[in-house]
């Protein structure tokens, strides 16, 4: 009997084994790099890029748009080597413009077909049949062109930059034909200046030189032509060293290395669920991994914002958009890549050592946007267990506060937030900074309490930056208990939040009120937060506000997050992963209501199964009763224990474990009596309010 049973089990196993097992699709293959690349729907490009590196080889389409690339455009004029993906101010980057041509001079190509993915971009042209392929791995990039036989050439335009940002270029042709030089350009928004050092291995041909161009006429019988480019943020010698180290590399090998690198990073978060939603997730996760840029060499050398070369034990990064992404992308990086985030935090601290500017200065080591709220980011890192040398930069931190702007309503609230962070970073001045932070109540009562004034819905009223009175009035994340009291209590807070969201005063095209949904957890209907974030992530929204500082007569009505070229809200920039990061965090079921405190509010994740991290520190999240209608939390278990709360500490996630969220279709009062709410009247934020 037992023998027959064993034979039966074996037969069943063989039968099941005869069917092919569906392999896990590579994470990089799920990324759509064309998301957000059409019109003013993200300001993104499909360029060949490497995680956290500045080189980004992308096509420039014609007619010229400020972002450099338009998915629907049919014509291409050439290829540039950097762009700050997803940021505004009329384009950023666009250096080292390469124009392959057939015949006697440059011309516009008609695009026939293009494909791209993490680390590579390929395009074929109509007419004379040029095929062009590009791959980037860290600081090395490959151009591979396939021409037809006949007259042809490649022109390098050395004074090209988006939006007139070019400053200067110096170059030399070395004895072996290598082009070596440096190029300076204005940073995003034309505020500061950054430098890229480069080395280019030119193919054989007849060289014609000008002050700002290299024109290379290629042999008429040549067909496959390769151009190899290396970058450095330190000096030309380092760029040359990188170029020579990669002398044996070709398009395929660089593409393979780059995709392996992307695969390793993207696999740090594994989500399982609807296939289309997975692709959207990894396409947005990809966008959070492009900046900041590594600026240090393997020997630890890097340039500071003082223009001098320094050395560090770890890696150093630059290329900041902190005002935009400190609430979303940076917390995501801290969760997903703690080792890398230690170096990113050290790099932010270095700004205070070598020269910190709200936007940018004269010696930026990479293209950058802005650094406001860097102190909040450092406090956040410190409270999450990262090693931050606050003592070594204390004087510079304090000096930086003298530049805080309290002259405008929005700036006042933001500066008060920084003062709250400074009170914890600098204990010797804690009382002074904390008292300054508490003064937000006076400006709130004066400017933000009264919602009957005619200008409360006008963008940039009262000299505020890209937001309205309604949107900025929620920007007191460090004292949610105090703000609730100012408004009149939990019920009044709920009523005003309902008015704000139900009447579509929320602005998803920019960041000033990006965390405002979290305020529902301080109200008397916290369950609304759980449904609202899913509505914003998955459903059709009504959006009246746009980044041209207007409140439209007619609204934008569509989903925000779409896996297509016309993604996001019209005029909505991704802002260096800020907007993509919000979706990724929501998909994980985690949002940080107060950057600076290592606390995450929970919502039902967008996938039934999630694994964050690998090995012993892996943190798994499983949803019981998963379904798009089941948006409310009914129970939370951490490592098998019912925790009766709707929030987690960073350390609970970082050490690994298992989280189980039981979801339901109806609102629940679960965890409402143990909410974590920020409170300025206490040295630590309180529960149960």
């Amino acid at each position: 009997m037992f023998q027959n049973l064993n034979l039966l089990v074996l037969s069943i196993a063989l039968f099941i084994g005869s069917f092919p097992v569906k392999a896990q699709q590579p994470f990089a293959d799920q990324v759509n790099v064309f998301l957000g690349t059409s019109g003013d729907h993200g300001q993104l490009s499909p360029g060949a890029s490497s995680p956290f590196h500045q080189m980004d080889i992308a096509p420039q389409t014609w007619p010229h748009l400020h972002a450099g690339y338009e998915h629907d455009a049919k014509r291409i004029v050439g290829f540039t080597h950097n762009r700050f993906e997803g940021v505004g101010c009329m384009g950023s980057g666009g250096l080292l413009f390469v124009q392959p041509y057939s015949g006697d001079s440059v011309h516009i190509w008609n695009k026939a077909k293009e494909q791209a993915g993490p680390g590579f971009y390929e395009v074929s042209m109509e007419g004379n049949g040029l095929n062009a392929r590009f791959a980037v791995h860290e600081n090395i990039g490959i151009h591979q062109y396939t021409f037809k036989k006949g007259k042809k050439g490649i022109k390098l335009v050395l004074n090209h930059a988006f939006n007139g940002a070019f400053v200067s270029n110096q170059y030399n042709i070395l004895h072996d034909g290598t082009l070596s030089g440096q190029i300076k350009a204005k940073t995003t928004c034309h505020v500061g200046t950054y430098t890229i050092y480069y080395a280019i291995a030119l193919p054989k041909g007849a060289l014609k030189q000008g002050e700002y161009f290299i024109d290379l006429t290629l042999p008429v019988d040549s067909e496959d032509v390769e151009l190899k480019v290396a970058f450095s943020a330190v000096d030309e010698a380092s760029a040359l060293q990188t170029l020579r180290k990669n002398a044996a590399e070709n398009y395929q090998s660089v593409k393979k290395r780059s995709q392996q690198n992307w695969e390793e990073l993207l696999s740090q978060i594994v989500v399982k669920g609807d296939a289309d939603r997975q692709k959207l997730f990894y396409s947005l996760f990809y966008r959070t991994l492009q900046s900041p840029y590594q600026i240090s060499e393997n020997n630890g050398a890097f340039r500071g914002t003082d223009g001098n070369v320094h050395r560090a034990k770890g890696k150093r990064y630059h290329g900041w958009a902190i005002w935009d992404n400190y609430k979303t992308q940076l917390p995501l990086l801290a969760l997903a890549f703690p080792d890398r985030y230690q170096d990113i935090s050290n790099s932010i601290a270095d700004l205070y050592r070598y020269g910190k500017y709200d936007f940018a200065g004269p010696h930026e080591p990479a293209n950058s946007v802005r650094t406001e709220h860097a102190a909040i980011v450092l406090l956040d890192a410190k409270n999450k267990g990262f090693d931050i040398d606050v003592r070594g930069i204390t004087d510079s931190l304090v000096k930086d506060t003298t530049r805080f702007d309290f002259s405008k309503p929005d700036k006042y609230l933001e500066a008060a937030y920084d003062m709250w962070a400074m009170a914890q970073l600098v204990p010797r001045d804690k009382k002074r900074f904390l008292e300054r932070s508490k003064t937000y109540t006076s400006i709130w009562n004066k400017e933000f309490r009264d919602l009957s004034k005619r200008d409360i819905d006008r963008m940039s009223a009262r000299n505020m930056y890209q937001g309205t009175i309604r949107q900025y009035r929620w920007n007191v994340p460090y004292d949610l208990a105090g703000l609730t009291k100012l408004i009149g209590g939990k019920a009044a807070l709920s009523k005003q939040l309902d008015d704000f969201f139900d009447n579509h005063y929320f602005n998803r095209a920019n960041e000033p009120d990006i965390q405002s949904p979290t305020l529902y957890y301080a109200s008397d209907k916290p369950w609304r937060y759980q449904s609202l974030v899913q509505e914003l992530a998955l459903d059709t929204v009504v959006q009246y506000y746009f980044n041209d500082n207007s409140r439209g007569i007619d609204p934008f009505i569509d989903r925000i997050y779409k896996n297509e070229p016309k993604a996001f809200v019209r005029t909505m920039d991704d802002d260096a992963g800020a907007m993509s990061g919000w979706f990724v965090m929501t998909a994980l079921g985690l949002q940080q209501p107060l950057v600076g405190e290592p606390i995450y509010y929970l919502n039902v994740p967008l996938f039934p199964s999630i694994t964050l991290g690998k090995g012993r520190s892996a943190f798994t999240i499983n949803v019981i009763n998963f379904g798009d209608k089941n948006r409310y939390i009914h129970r939370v278990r951490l490592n098998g224990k019912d925790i009766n709360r709707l929030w987690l500490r960073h350390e609970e996630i970082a050490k690994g474990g298992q989280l189980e969220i039981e979801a339901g279709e109806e609102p629940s009062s679960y965890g409402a009596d143990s909410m974590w709410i920020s409170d300025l009247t206490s040295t630590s934020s309180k529960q149960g309010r």
Side-chain angles (χ1 to χ4, degrees):
M1 177 178 176
F2 290 107
Q3 184 179 7
N4 291 337
L5 182 60
N6 289 336
L7 287 172
L8 178 61
V9 172
L10 178 61
S11 298
I12 293 172
L14 290 172
F15 176 74
I16 294 173
S18 66
F19 288 88
V21 177
K22 187 176 181 181
Q24 168 73 47
Q25 183 181 10
F27 300 98
D29 289 353
Q30 299 183 65
V31 173
N32 174 19
V33 299
F34 291 101
L35 184 155
T37 62
S38 181
D40 204 351
H41 290 262
Q43 294 230 63
L44 299 170
S45 85
S49 67
S50 188
F52 303 109
H53 280 77
Q54 189 170 199
M55 188 181 293
D56 187 336
I57 306 178
Q60 181 162 320
T61 54
W62 187 91
H64 174 67
L65 299 179
H66 65 274
Y69 174 86
E70 162 58 52
H71 179 265
D72 292 339
K74 302 301 182 184
R75 312 186 82 182
I76 289 177
V77 294
F79 307 92
T80 61
H81 284 77
N82 78 316
R83 55 190 70 199
F84 207 142
E85 296 286 4
V87 299
C89 283
M90 301 304 293
S92 183
L95 307 186
L96 293 177
F97 188 35
V98 176
Q99 296 179 286
Y101 61 90
S102 62
D104 295 314
S105 61
V106 297
H107 52 85
I108 298 175
W109 295 92
N110 291 321
K111 180 174 62 176
K113 182 181 178 182
E114 63 182 339
Q115 61 179 349
F120 76 96
Y121 174 84
E122 301 177 350
V123 63
S124 58
M125 309 296 188
E126 294 178 350
N128 289 325
L130 172 72
N131 291 322
R133 303 192 294 177
F134 309 89
V136 170
H137 175 62
E138 297 184 347
N139 281 330
I140 191 73
I142 299 284
H143 298 228
Q144 186 182 75
Y145 301 108
T146 301
F147 293 91
K148 289 184 176 180
K149 290 185 178 180
K151 291 183 177 180
K152 65 184 71 71
I154 296 175
K155 185 175 182 179
L156 283 73
V157 181
L158 305 177
N159 64 343
H160 184 275
F162 294 150
N163 195 23
F166 172 78
V167 174
S168 66
N169 181 82
Q170 301 174 15
Y171 75 89
N172 294 294
I173 304 293
L174 306 183
H175 67 277
D176 62 355
T178 300
L179 174 66
S180 172
Q182 61 174 273
I183 188 166
K184 294 182 182 292
K186 290 293 184 180
T187 57
T188 306
C189 305
H190 282 221
V191 181
T193 302
Y194 68 104
T195 305
I196 288 177
Y197 301 92
Y198 62 88
I200 304 176
L202 299 172
K204 292 182 179 180
L207 201 65
K208 182 179 179 181
Q209 298 176 231
E211 183 180 2
Y212 295 123
F213 74 89
I214 301 288
D215 198 341
L216 188 66
T217 302
L218 301 169
V220 294
D221 60 348
S222 62
E223 294 179 282
D224 293 324
V225 177
E226 181 183 275
L227 198 73
K228 194 172 295 179
V229 183
F231 270 11
S232 173
V234 177
D235 52 31
E236 290 180 41
S238 297
L240 283 166
Q241 184 179 29
T242 297
L243 184 68
R244 288 162 180 163
K245 181 181 178 181
N246 291 277
E249 300 287 347
N250 56 32
Y251 170 76
Q252 290 295 348
S253 65
V254 171
K255 177 183 175 183
K256 182 179 180 180
R257 291 172 65 194
S258 186
Q259 290 195 298
Q260 288 174 340
N261 195 14
W262 277 113
E263 188 72 10
E264 173 62 25
L265 268 68
L266 292 167
S267 67
Q268 196 67 16
I269 300 178
V270 178
V271 298
K272 294 181 179 180
D274 178 79
D276 288 339
R277 191 175 294 175
Q278 279 186 209
K279 292 176 181 177
L280 174 62
F281 176 88
Y282 285 108
S283 298
L284 295 169
F285 186 29
Y286 163 82
R287 290 299 178 182
T288 69
L289 309 181
Q290 293 189 282
S291 62
Y293 313 120
Q294 184 182 326
I295 58 167
S296 57
E297 296 293 332
N298 291 334
N299 62 2
F302 71 97
R303 282 194 184 272
T305 46
D306 58 358
N308 298 321
V309 176
H310 306 273
R311 290 190 183 274
K313 291 182 179 180
K315 296 177 181 177
R316 286 296 180 267
Y317 294 84
H318 199 75
W320 308 110
I322 297 176
W323 184 91
D324 304 275
N325 60 25
Y326 79 105
K327 297 177 182 178
T328 55
Q329 187 241 14
L330 290 178
L332 172 62
L333 298 184
L335 272 177
F337 309 100
D339 291 342
R340 187 183 299 268
Y341 198 72
Q342 177 64 69
D343 290 335
I344 290 173
S345 300
N346 289 339
S347 302
I348 294 174
D350 279 345
L351 296 175
Y352 292 94
R353 289 189 175 89
Y354 306 124
K356 179 186 175 297
Y357 306 85
D358 281 352
F359 276 72
H363 305 293
E364 300 293 324
N367 196 3
S368 195
V369 187
R370 53 197 308 184
T371 66
E372 298 104 317
H373 308 313
I376 295 171
V377 175
L378 292 179
L379 173 65
D380 191 61
K382 180 176 180 291
N383 285 340
K384 287 175 178 175
F386 294 96
D387 184 16
I388 308 298
D389 178 23
V390 176
R391 182 176 297 181
I393 59 172
T394 292
D395 290 344
S396 294
L397 279 164
V398 173
K399 182 179 178 181
D400 192 53
T401 64
T402 63
R403 298 188 296 110
F404 288 175
D405 186 357
F406 289 87
S407 66
K408 303 169 187 175
D410 57 330
K411 294 293 186 182
Y412 198 112
L413 295 185
E414 292 193 5
Y417 187 3
D418 284 291
M419 288 297 188
W420 168 83
M422 287 295 295
Q424 299 178 68
L425 286 172
V426 186
R428 74 185 190 199
D429 295 327
K430 180 175 183 177
K431 183 177 179 180
R432 176 167 65 92
F433 287 131
L434 200 59
E435 289 303 314
R436 192 71 170 105
S437 182
K438 290 178 181 179
T439 63
Y440 83 85
T441 57
S442 61
I443 199 73
W444 199 92
N445 282 323
K446 177 183 177 183
E447 301 285 358
F448 296 102
R449 173 180 293 280
D450 187 353
L451 296 179
S452 65
K453 295 183 179 179
R454 296 180 63 181
D455 67 346
I456 61 170
D457 298 326
R458 195 176 78 231
M459 291 289 287
S460 300
R462 308 181 203 177
N463 290 317
M464 297 191 306
Y465 179 73
Q466 292 189 336
T468 68
I469 289 294
R470 286 190 189 269
Q471 291 153 12
Y472 269 109
R473 71 195 301 263
W474 309 117
N475 198 19
V476 193
Y478 46 90
D479 189 20
L480 196 46
L483 180 63
T484 302
K485 186 176 180 180
L486 281 176
I487 288 172
K490 287 186 174 184
L493 176 62
S494 295
K495 183 178 180 180
Q496 292 193 19
L497 286 171
D498 286 347
D499 176 65
F500 182 68
F501 289 105
D502 292 347
N503 291 298
H504 315 297
Y505 297 120
F506 184 41
N507 181 10
R508 275 308 269 118
N510 214 316
E511 290 85 13
D513 57 352
I514 194 169
Q515 296 302 98
S516 56
T518 62
L519 273 74
Y520 269 114
Y521 268 0
S523 76
D524 65 356
K525 49 196 297 187
W527 50 265
R528 179 73 198 278
Y529 168 74
Q530 298 162 22
S531 61
L532 179 59
V533 291
Q534 292 223 4
E535 291 166 20
L536 294 170
L538 301 175
D539 298 346
T540 295
V541 302
V542 176
Q543 168 74 27
Y544 277 99
Y545 300 92
F546 303 97
N547 278 349
D548 56 3
N549 290 325
S550 70
R551 186 183 193 277
I553 296 174
D554 294 322
F556 169 94
I557 304 175
D558 200 349
R559 287 181 296 119
I560 299 171
Y561 294 99
K562 303 181 293 295
N563 196 6
E564 58 190 50
K566 284 186 171 62
F568 302 114
V569 173
R570 178 177 63 82
T571 76
M572 176 177 166
D573 302 331
D574 189 42
D575 281 335
M579 299 305 187
S580 294
W582 184 91
F583 181 93
V584 172
M585 293 293 283
T586 299
L588 301 180
L590 305 167
Q591 286 288 351
Q592 196 171 350
L594 172 58
V595 179
E597 285 282 356
I599 298 292
Y600 302 89
Y601 281 173
L602 297 176
N603 62 273
V604 177
L606 305 185
F607 297 93
S609 175
I610 297 167
T611 302
L612 176 62
K614 300 176 181 179
R616 293 182 178 179
S617 62
F619 187 76
T620 61
I621 305 171
N622 293 302
V623 181
I624 308 302
N625 301 326
F626 179 83
D628 281 352
K629 291 184 178 180
N630 296 341
R631 297 182 170 184
Y632 301 101
I633 297 177
H634 284 204
R635 192 172 303 278
V636 179
R637 295 183 181 90
L638 180 62
N639 299 322
K641 180 182 178 181
D642 187 334
I643 60 174
N644 190 36
R645 51 184 161 93
L646 296 167
W647 50 273
L648 292 179
R649 300 181 183 89
H650 181 83
E651 63 182 15
E652 292 175 319
I653 302 173
K655 68 182 180 183
Q658 296 181 336
L659 184 72
E660 185 179 271
I661 296 177
E662 184 179 326
E665 191 171 350
E666 298 299 324
S668 167
S669 61
Y670 178 85
D673 59 349
S674 58
M675 288 303 304
W676 181 96
I677 299 172
S678 60
D679 187 349
L680 259 180
T681 64
S682 173
T683 54
S684 61
S685 300
K686 295 182 178 180
Q687 305 171 32
R689 287 186 170 271

